[in-house]
Amino acid sequence: MARSVAATAAVLLAGCCALGALSGAFVPPPAAKAAPPAAALGAAALAAPLAAHAEGDGVWIPALSAVGAGFAIGLAAIGSGVGQGIASGRCIDGISRQPEVADDLRGVLLLSLAFMESLTIYGLVIALVLLFANPLIK
């Protein structure tokens, strides 16, 4: 017991000495930058819609519409894909447990998959409207 306590103390002492010797090798963190004043942020928030509707140089609405279209189709596809995977897995599980109701389960599965796919198509329609027939652009 005394030997393990002595070995532990020696390792801790060597570790502290090594850390003290290497502490000069570390790079100090950069100085924190001053945060912009709240008034400047408020003015920027109020000026953003004006810049979006500016003549000629207003690129905010088309750019944000493209981002919105990407989110619309991406989230619709992810949600529908997850839902279809869960529904198909549960249907296969149900058919494996009760093969005599396979026809009923298959019909319900195909109907629910069609409804899930229609939600993806709605996301695609919203994305296409935002990209090509954007009602926000004058």
Side-chain angles (χ1 to χ4, degrees):
M1 170 109 179
R3 191 176 355 167
S4 64
V5 171
T8 303
V11 167
L12 287 176
L13 182 63
C16 289
C17 291
L19 185 62
L22 292 176
S23 64
F26 295 119
V27 177
K33 294 181 181 177
L41 293 176
L46 289 175
L50 298 175
H53 292 289
E55 291 294 326
D57 292 334
V59 296
W60 284 101
I61 290 179
L64 293 177
S65 295
V67 171
F71 276 121
I73 193 64
L75 292 177
I78 288 172
S80 179
V82 169
Q84 287 178 356
I86 291 172
S88 299
R90 297 290 169 100
C91 181
I92 291 171
D93 187 39
I95 289 173
S96 68
R97 290 177 188 266
Q98 293 180 336
E100 64 272 6
V101 295
D103 292 334
D104 296 335
L105 287 177
R106 191 177 303 115
V108 170
L109 173 70
L110 291 177
L111 184 64
S112 64
L113 290 178
F115 285 135
M116 287 182 223
E117 195 64 34
S118 71
L119 294 175
T120 304
I121 293 170
Y122 291 150
L124 176 66
V125 168
I126 290 171
L128 291 175
V129 164
L130 284 174
L131 288 176
F132 298 113
N134 196 341
L136 302 173
I137 298 175
K138 293 179 181 179

